[in-house]
Amino acid sequence: MPAQLPSADEAELAKLLIQSNYLFRDLEVKWLAPYLSPVLTIEKLYSNRPVYTAFRPNIFLDVLYIIINGGPIITRSTPLDRIIAISYPGGCFGMRNLPFGFGQMSRAFPSLVEAYKTTDVIKLPLDTLKEIYQDSPVVRERYDKFFELREKFQYHLLNCSSYPPQAVAALFRALVYQERSLGNQPQSDGVYIFDLPIDVIARSCQLNHRTVEQVLKGMQKVKLIEAAKSNDSSEDTIRVIDPERLKETYSATRDKVSWWPLK
């Protein structure tokens, strides 16, 4: 553990991380603060601008991106331009591109990482992450959990069949599983709330925008989801109000979803 006493800025940064991110949740401020440099600041990633290209041969990152606010952050694979990862506040990204832990082996094909909407992040240097990881069993367990969740998210997307209701439900199930595992959701009323534009759904499920719109209307009609409310922060908000019954659609094959008109 670092020997120096933390500054006020370091203590405030530690408090922010503990309050806003799964990796550091419920740690002690006085324990975490000495690891943090006072020069660490919140930075903005602006929408539709590349952050980095993931998985380039022999090229690694030197920071872990900790999401504080905004987003989502997406990862686009090529050549189909399919979204294979979606990250929200409370999560992190970049761990699979660090030459550290499972990041040394969890490689894939080059993929573009970008902020779909403006996002506030803190860039945690690799050396700082290594120190914290080494000294905290809690952080080790949570950091490793991110790799598991990335694999399970992509597993859900593998179940995106060409049947549109099942494809969209598979994405929703992936997000529900991810956010529940991170302890970010559900809300106090059991609802899962996602800032999830139609374009992101379409690129995740390999559907056209019109088809996605029709699926969402059907899901609203049978009360699986709700559209954005007036007090939601984004007009792209989707409220998953019955995640358990969503499993029926997720596991459905053709002719089993009565509310979908196209067979």
Side-chain angles (χ1 to χ4, degrees), residues 230-256:
S230 58
N231 60 342
D232 285 324
S233 59
S234 169
E235 63 181 11
D236 294 318
T237 295
I238 290 178
R239 306 167 64 89
V240 178
I241 58 177
D242 198 341
E244 291 306 310
R245 196 158 59 88
L246 192 65
K247 291 179 182 178
E248 298 173 11
T249 305
Y250 171 58
S251 60
T253 55
R254 296 182 186 277
D255 303 324
K256 287 190 177 180

Side-chain angles (χ1 to χ4, degrees), residues 149-165:
L149 292 177
R150 280 290 186 266
E151 293 300 317
K152 288 183 174 178
F153 188 91
Q154 293 184 23
Y155 172 82
H156 279 90
L157 292 189
L158 287 174
N159 290 321
C160 283
S161 73
S162 58
Y163 187 42

Side-chain angles (χ1 to χ4, degrees), residues 156 164-174 205 215 219 246-247 249-251:
H156 279 90
Q166 186 190 45
V168 176
L171 174 63
F172 288 170
R173 289 297 304 168
C205 301
V215 172
M219 288 183 167
L246 192 65
K247 291 179 182 178
T249 305
Y250 171 58
S251 60

